């Protein structure tokens, strides 16, 4: 009896030690690391895939390099017309229009094809017990945060070079934030509405029907936001100031809510055929 009892105790301790070792190993090699649960693993997979794709990184770097050059030209033009009273509004309007163009370009390269690039293996994702709406929301928040961080740094660099007022910088930052959210929502929404799981070429995906619609809406919306920003900075107070400001917010939220809603509904019915 004593031998049997000692054997049972040794088996218990061995199993306990193995369980602790497995939990420790799981903590060290756990995935996802940054996010939680199934949807987080998919989002983290997208980030890691991008970080390992040197072609995408170089493409994004080239687009940002062109944006820096373009903004440098705007800063130079702003300094030349700095004597005009409306120069500040013109410079910031041009700045937002330029950012909308490059934000749309980046969204076409990375946000729009994010659903299609799941490829033929996307059926594994759709059949997993993961809330697809959380995938859309997570992609929207991550892409928006990255785009806004980059564009806001460029806005601050431009503002410091031109010594713009705090009020103008605050209003332009708000407009930029709305613009990035809306363009990201449009690209993600149309990318979900027009998926192509058989195509892995980003350039072909971005020139498809959905990509062209994204380009048209993004550029048209950017022009509107740039003009609205100019009118807001020109008026600075009064009824027309609030009219333009609220109009910009309304249009932005209309695009954000409608395209995220459509994408959330569409992804529930997506199938790989």
């Amino acid at each position: 009896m004593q031998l049997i009892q000692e054997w049972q105790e040794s088996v218990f301790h061995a199993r306990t030690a193995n369980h602790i070792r497995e939990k420790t190993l799981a903590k060290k090699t756990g995935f996802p690391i940054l996010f939680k649960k199934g949807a987080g693993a998919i989002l983290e997979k997208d980030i890691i895939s991008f970080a390992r794709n040197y072609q995408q990184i170089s493409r994004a770097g080239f687009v940002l390099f062109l944006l820096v050059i373009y903004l440098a030209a705007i800063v130079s033009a702003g300094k030349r017309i700095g004597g005009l009273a409306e120069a500040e509004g013109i410079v910031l309007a041009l700045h937002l229009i330029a950012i909308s163009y490059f934000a749309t370009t980046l969204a076409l390269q990375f946000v729009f094809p994010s659903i299609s690039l799941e490829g033929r293996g996307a059926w594994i994702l759709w059949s997993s017990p993961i809330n697809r709406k959380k995938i859309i929301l997570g992609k929207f928040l991550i892409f928006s945060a990255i785009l806004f961080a980059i564009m806001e740094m460029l806005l601050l660099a431009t503002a410091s070079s031109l010594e713009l007022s705090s009020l103008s910088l605050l209003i332009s930052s708000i407009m930029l934030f709305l613009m990035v959210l809306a363009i990201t929502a449009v690209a993600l929404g149309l990318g979900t509405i027009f998926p192509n799981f058989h195509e892995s070429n980003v350039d072909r995906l971005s020139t498809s029907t959905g990509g062209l619609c994204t380009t048209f809406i993004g550029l048209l919306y950017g022009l509107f936001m740039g003009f609205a920003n100019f009118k807001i900075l020109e008026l600075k107070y009064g009824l027309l100031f609030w009219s333009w400001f609220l109009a910009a917010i309304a249009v932005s939220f209309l695009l954000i809510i409608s395209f995220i809603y459509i994408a959330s509904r569409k992804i529930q019915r997506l199938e790989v055929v």
Side-chain angles (χ1 to χ4, degrees):
M1 291 295 293
Q2 186 177 358
L3 289 175
I4 294 175
Q5 185 178 0
E6 290 179 356
W7 175 76
Q8 289 177 342
E9 289 179 354
S10 63
V11 170
F12 172 76
H13 289 302
R15 288 179 177 176
T16 303
N18 288 334
H19 181 66
I20 294 173
R21 191 181 303 112
E22 289 173 0
K23 287 182 69 177
T24 304
L25 183 62
K27 288 181 179 179
K28 290 182 179 180
T29 60
F31 185 84
I33 299 173
L34 300 176
F35 306 101
K36 296 181 180 180
K37 300 183 180 180
I42 295 171
L43 299 176
E44 192 161 326
K45 173 189 71 68
D46 291 342
I47 296 175
I48 293 174
S49 299
F50 171 76
R52 291 178 177 177
N53 192 326
Y54 298 109
Q55 184 178 4
Q56 283 188 317
I57 293 176
S58 61
R59 185 183 288 117
F62 179 71
V63 172
L64 292 175
F65 174 71
L66 293 178
L67 176 58
V68 170
I69 293 178
Y70 195 85
L71 293 180
I74 292 177
V75 171
S76 177
K79 290 180 177 179
R80 292 181 181 179
I81 62 175
L84 297 178
E86 66 272 16
E88 188 174 73
I90 293 175
V91 171
L92 285 173
L94 292 174
H95 183 94
L96 283 181
I97 292 173
I99 283 182
S100 71
Y101 170 75
F102 285 100
T104 302
T105 302
L106 289 172
L108 275 174
Q109 292 291 319
F110 303 106
V111 184
F112 176 78
S114 62
I115 298 296
S116 297
L117 291 180
E118 296 294 339
R120 297 294 300 275
W123 68 269
I124 301 175
L125 176 61
W126 307 148
S127 60
S128 62
I130 298 175
N131 190 334
R132 299 187 191 182
K133 293 181 180 180
K134 290 184 178 180
I135 298 174
I136 291 294
L137 184 60
K139 286 178 178 288
F140 170 68
L141 293 177
I142 288 176
F143 283 124
S144 297
I146 295 173
L147 273 177
F148 177 70
I150 296 172
M151 299 307 171
E152 181 65 15
M153 285 191 293
L154 293 172
L155 175 63
L156 293 175
T158 304
S160 61
S161 299
L162 293 173
E163 299 180 353
L164 301 178
S165 65
S166 300
L167 177 61
S168 298
L169 181 59
L170 175 62
I171 293 173
S172 298
S173 294
I174 294 173
M175 301 289 277
L176 175 61
F177 178 69
L178 293 172
M179 192 168 64
V180 168
L181 290 179
I183 290 175
T184 304
V186 169
L188 184 59
L190 289 173
T192 309
I193 296 170
F194 300 101
N196 185 352
F197 297 110
H198 303 277
E199 182 61 70
S200 60
N201 189 304
V202 174
D203 294 326
R204 290 179 182 175
L205 288 171
S206 60
T207 54
S208 63
T209 302
L212 294 176
C213 291
T214 302
T215 303
F216 177 76
I217 295 174
L219 296 181
L220 189 63
Y221 170 72
L223 288 173
F224 167 75
M225 291 296 282
F227 182 75
N229 191 69
F230 171 72
K231 297 300 292 184
I232 290 169
L233 294 179
E234 183 182 44
L235 297 167
K236 292 191 175 180
Y237 59 88
L239 180 61
L240 287 178
F241 167 85
W242 288 108
S243 297
W244 277 104
F245 190 67
L246 293 176
I249 293 176
V251 172
S252 300
F253 272 94
L254 177 63
L255 290 175
I256 295 167
I257 295 172
S258 59
F259 278 98
I260 292 299
Y261 174 77
I262 292 171
S264 299
R265 293 292 299 272
K266 177 66 177 180
I267 198 172
Q268 301 288 350
R269 303 189 299 271
L270 278 183
E271 295 181 0
V272 182
V273 293

